[in-house]
Amino acid sequence: MISLGRTDTSVIGRWWWTVDRWTIAAVSMIVIIGVMLIMAASPAVAERIGADHFHFIRRQFVFLPPAMLVIFGVSLLEPRDVRRLACLGFLCAVGLMALTLVSGQEIKGATRWVTIAGISIQPSEFVKPTFAVVAAWMFSEQRMQEHFPGNAISLGLYILVAGLLLLQPDVGMTIVVSSVWFVEFFLAGLPIIWVLLFMLVGLGGLVGAYFAFAHVASRIDRFLDPSAGDSYQVTTALQAFHYGGFFGRGPGEGRVKAVLPDAHTDFIMAVAGEEFGLVLCLLVVGLFAFVVLRGFARMLTEENLFILLATSGLLVQFGLQAIINMASTLHLMPTKGMTLPFISYGGSSMVALALGMGMILALTRKRYGRDGWQ
């Protein structure tokens, strides 16, 4: 058995005593719950589309080990190296997003996927964590170097990313990226007049999206008036929570997965609610809340503006994605095809979230001396 003492100066030893082990434990529990729910929800979906019983399970397990390695490997990095990785990843992701517009695969009316070496990748998933770090770097550089146009560069990159997302189109992802960017800009010292201006622009953008994109209008109309269109998935998901009650029907006893098309992705919480009840649903919500609040708590004494902004942006992205998925399932907001972090099926989402979580762990590690300012 390997013992890591506080005097261990190896890379692993230093990592073990400086990383937030409570966050690692919470994320590990989320991953375990995700594996359990994928095994419960996906076989019925696979059989319904004529695939092998373990089709989605096998595909998810292909991506799970690399994702865990990404979390560990990225968490070993220093802030300077996280910044470099984010810049490289951002350039690659933006390039692939542009490629999707030319040769991407159209699925459900959106062109968000590109195939590389036989693997289907959604580049926009990787833009979220990398852009959060790059934008934080630009904002922090503006504060440290008065004549450096960090805010302008960040705004230009945001317009580029938002434009590519809307061309796919992916309005939901645009809202998440916009929220993260706005939070970072606000924390970096955005004047109140600009806060009000950006809020007005955001509201105008939402109204514009309603009239510009038919699928957005349809989802909002169905949310406000379920009789206005097909609300089968939301209605079925709500029935699943009702049938599950407090303790659930029991593992494997659920019925919703046999009739719900997206039971393994967007509506996986419905499977959790029916088979394991309110108990598991509250546990999942508590774990997500713990990861986000724990991350912000570790930032209370942070003096490095880049680390503060980047970590805040990554945490907001992580928490907002979880809220959107769960709120959509509970009919608290219009439906949006967004995965539940580390729980829903999806290879690109899993690896991209692992990248973001690895960055959070790397940036929130305890540092001494000048290491914290690298």
Side-chain angles (χ1 to χ4, degrees):
M1 182 176 179
I2 300 176
S3 177
L4 298 175
R6 289 186 177 274
T7 57
D8 189 341
T9 58
S10 66
V11 173
I12 303 299
R14 292 198 304 271
W15 172 84
W16 178 250
W17 291 108
T18 57
V19 76
D20 184 10
R21 298 191 292 277
W22 282 105
T23 297
I24 292 177
V27 171
S28 298
M29 289 186 66
I30 294 174
V31 170
I32 292 171
I33 292 173
V35 169
M36 179 178 65
L37 291 178
I38 286 292
M39 294 179 70
S42 64
V45 179
E47 290 182 355
R48 192 165 57 247
I49 65 174
D52 177 71
H53 190 76
F54 297 102
H55 173 74
F56 293 111
I57 296 175
R58 280 199 304 269
R59 290 173 66 90
Q60 189 77 342
F61 272 79
V62 166
F63 288 99
L64 186 57
M68 298 303 99
L69 287 176
V70 167
I71 292 180
F72 173 68
V74 175
S75 69
L76 292 170
L77 301 179
E78 293 295 329
R80 175 181 55 198
D81 300 316
V82 170
R83 208 161 49 212
R84 291 171 177 171
L85 176 62
C87 290
L88 179 61
F90 178 72
L91 291 174
C92 293
V94 168
L96 291 175
M97 282 178 65
L99 184 62
T100 61
L101 302 178
V102 179
S103 59
Q105 306 171 21
E106 183 175 331
I107 301 177
K108 296 183 179 180
T111 309
R112 305 171 189 170
W113 291 265
V114 62
T115 301
I116 299 178
I119 300 176
S120 183
I121 299 174
Q122 187 177 352
S124 57
E125 290 287 351
F126 295 91
V127 162
K128 289 187 296 183
T130 55
F131 176 66
V133 175
V134 171
W137 181 28
M138 292 298 100
F139 289 137
S140 62
E141 287 297 313
Q142 174 88 50
R143 291 290 300 272
M144 291 188 291
Q145 303 180 42
E146 184 178 349
H147 301 292
F148 183 81
N151 293 352
I153 294 174
S154 180
L155 177 60
L157 293 176
Y158 164 71
I159 293 174
L160 171 64
V161 171
L164 289 172
L165 287 171
L166 291 175
L167 287 173
Q168 292 185 347
D170 193 340
V171 177
M173 190 81 77
T174 306
I175 293 174
V176 172
V177 170
S178 301
S179 301
V180 171
W181 182 81
F182 177 78
V183 167
E184 291 186 353
F185 204 171
F186 177 78
L187 293 176
L190 180 65
I192 189 64
I193 186 65
W194 284 99
V195 173
L196 298 175
L197 178 61
F198 279 127
M199 290 178 66
L200 290 175
V201 171
L203 291 174
L206 291 175
V207 174
Y210 177 84
F211 291 102
F213 300 101
H215 71 284
V216 174
S218 175
R219 289 177 177 179
I220 293 177
D221 289 342
R222 281 179 288 163
F223 172 73
L224 297 176
D225 181 12
S227 63
D230 182 14
S231 58
Y232 171 77
Q233 293 213 90
V234 172
T235 302
T236 305
L238 292 176
Q239 290 175 347
F241 287 111
H242 174 73
Y243 295 147
F246 195 82
F247 294 106
R249 288 182 165 183
E253 298 299 319
R255 298 292 180 265
V256 67
K257 58 192 177 186
V259 297
L260 198 59
D262 295 327
H264 62 315
T265 53
D266 303 347
F267 289 88
I268 198 166
M269 279 297 285
V271 177
E274 184 181 25
E275 297 197 3
F276 301 96
L278 181 64
V279 174
L280 182 64
C281 292
L282 291 178
L283 175 61
V284 171
V285 172
L287 288 171
F288 281 120
F290 177 84
V291 171
V292 174
L293 296 177
R294 175 76 177 179
F296 279 118
R298 291 176 71 88
M299 289 294 100
L300 291 177
T301 58
E302 181 58 58
E303 297 179 350
N304 187 326
L305 182 60
F306 163 69
I307 294 178
L308 174 63
L309 295 179
T311 304
S312 298
L314 291 167
L315 288 170
V316 167
Q317 175 208 308
F318 182 79
L320 186 59
Q321 182 165 336
I323 289 173
I324 289 175
N325 178 279
M326 292 185 286
S328 297
T329 305
L330 292 170
H331 197 51
L332 298 176
M333 63 175 289
T335 56
K336 169 66 188 82
M338 191 166 290
T339 60
L340 188 60
F342 297 117
I343 292 180
S344 296
Y345 169 80
S348 294
S349 175
M350 175 74 74
V351 177
L353 286 163
L355 176 63
M357 185 52 60
M359 290 177 173
I360 291 174
L361 291 171
L363 295 172
T364 56
R365 284 173 57 189
K366 295 179 181 178
R367 289 181 175 81
Y368 306 96
R370 63 182 300 273
D371 286 346
W373 292 91
Q374 292 183 345

